[in-house]
């Protein structure tokens, strides 16, 4: 005779399975990076499977290979304010620029976390130098900035880096990235100040000579 297991036993098993399955699913959820500082859509394009494209706004562009997606997607480039990320940057580093990708599967409406082929990010910014670093912005409360393990390729003011997914955002940091003193009329501010001081010294000398002459 086969004895049936109590109903409560099956319920316990089901609850146990769900307890482990739900956290795993939550961990795999793709974050919407517009909620973590990247609030502006600066470029967007709808792509079909097998379609190669370049999406960008001038400073930042994504070179997307034809085999990156097997479903139709909306590919968006997001940006925020550098000041949002600066408090989380390592000491001595200045945020030059920031960006993130948001990719939506147009069939399911779900965000895409991983790409089927790497997308190439190309950033052209006059503050980029050979000392610039490429850092991940990990979503959270608060966000966390960590150095990406893959060094970028830098040529002049252009930085290139392969990207395999949209689970984090990115910032470019540079120890000399802070805007320098502006130039005025082709002359640096330092030179201009020096010239003013020199002129002031000449005027003072002339005044003293005239004063001395008036007392002779």
């Amino acid at each position: 005779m086969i004895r049936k297991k109590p109903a409560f036993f099956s319920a316990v098993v089901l609850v146990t399975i769900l307890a482990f399955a739900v956290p795993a699913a939550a961990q795999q959820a793709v974050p919407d990076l517009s909620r973590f500082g990247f609030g502006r859509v600066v470029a967007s394009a709808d792509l079909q499977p097998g379609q190669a494209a370049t999406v960008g706004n001038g400073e930042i562009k994504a070179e997307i290979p034809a085999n990156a997606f097997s479903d139709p997607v909306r590919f968006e480039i997001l940006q925020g304010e550098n000041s949002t990320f600066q408090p989380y940057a390592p000491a001595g580093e200045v945020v030059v620029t920031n960006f993130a990708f948001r990719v939506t599967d147009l069939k399911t409406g779900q965000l895409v976390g991983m790409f089927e082929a790497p997308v190439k990010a190309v950033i052209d910014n006059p503050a980029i130098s050979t000392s610039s670093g490429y850092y991940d912005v990990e979503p959270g409360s608060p966000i966390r900035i960590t150095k990406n393990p893959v060094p970028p390729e830098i040529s002049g003011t252009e930085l290139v880096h392969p990207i395999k997914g949209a689970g984090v955002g990115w910032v470019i940091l540079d120890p000399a990235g802070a805007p320098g003193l502006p130039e005025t009329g082709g002359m640096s501010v330092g030179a201009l100040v020096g010239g003013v001081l020199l002129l002031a010294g000449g005027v003072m000398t002339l005044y003293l000579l005239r004063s001395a002459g008036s007392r002779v």
Side-chain angles (χ1 to χ4, degrees):
M1 179 178 180
I2 300 175
R3 299 178 63 183
K4 294 183 178 180
K5 294 181 180 179
F8 79 87
F9 178 82
S10 299
V12 169
V13 172
L14 179 60
V15 169
T16 303
I17 292 173
L18 290 175
F20 285 95
V22 171
Q27 291 175 0
Q28 295 173 0
V30 181
D32 183 348
L33 295 171
S34 66
R35 300 178 181 176
F36 297 94
F38 304 95
R40 300 193 313 272
V41 178
V42 297
S44 178
D46 290 354
L47 308 176
Q48 295 300 316
Q51 178 183 352
T54 298
V55 181
N57 69 340
E59 178 194 14
I60 299 170
K61 63 181 179 180
E63 296 180 356
I64 305 166
N67 58 339
F69 306 106
S70 55
D71 284 342
V73 300
R74 175 164 296 142
F75 192 102
E76 297 171 298
I77 298 178
L78 311 178
Q79 271 194 305
E81 300 298 331
N82 287 343
S83 58
T84 299
F85 305 101
Q86 187 60 54
Y88 306 98
E93 298 284 346
V94 177
V95 178
V96 169
T97 192
N98 67 87
F99 71 102
F101 296 155
R102 181 171 60 188
V103 182
T104 306
D105 188 312
L106 296 179
K107 278 187 177 180
T108 65
Q110 300 296 312
L111 294 178
V112 176
M114 296 300 295
F115 309 152
E116 296 174 30
V119 169
K120 183 187 294 184
V122 181
I123 301 94
D124 193 348
N125 185 295
I128 289 175
S129 70
T130 53
S131 60
S132 295
Y134 183 86
Y135 287 73
D136 297 339
V137 179
E138 300 175 10
S141 182
I143 60 173
R144 195 161 70 102
I145 293 179
T146 57
K147 193 163 190 176
N148 189 284
V150 179
E153 296 179 11
I154 299 175
S155 177
T157 60
E158 184 179 86
L159 181 149
V160 178
H161 199 277
I163 294 177
K164 298 180 179 180
V168 299
W170 304 277
V171 289
I172 310 302
L173 304 182
D174 194 287
L181 292 173
E183 293 190 352
T184 305
M187 181 183 295
S188 69
V189 172
L192 182 61
V193 171
V196 170
L197 292 175
L198 182 62
L199 178 61
V203 171
M204 181 60 69
T205 301
L206 180 61
Y207 172 79
L208 293 175
L209 288 174
R210 286 182 175 180
S211 298
S214 65
R215 291 195 296 270
V216 175

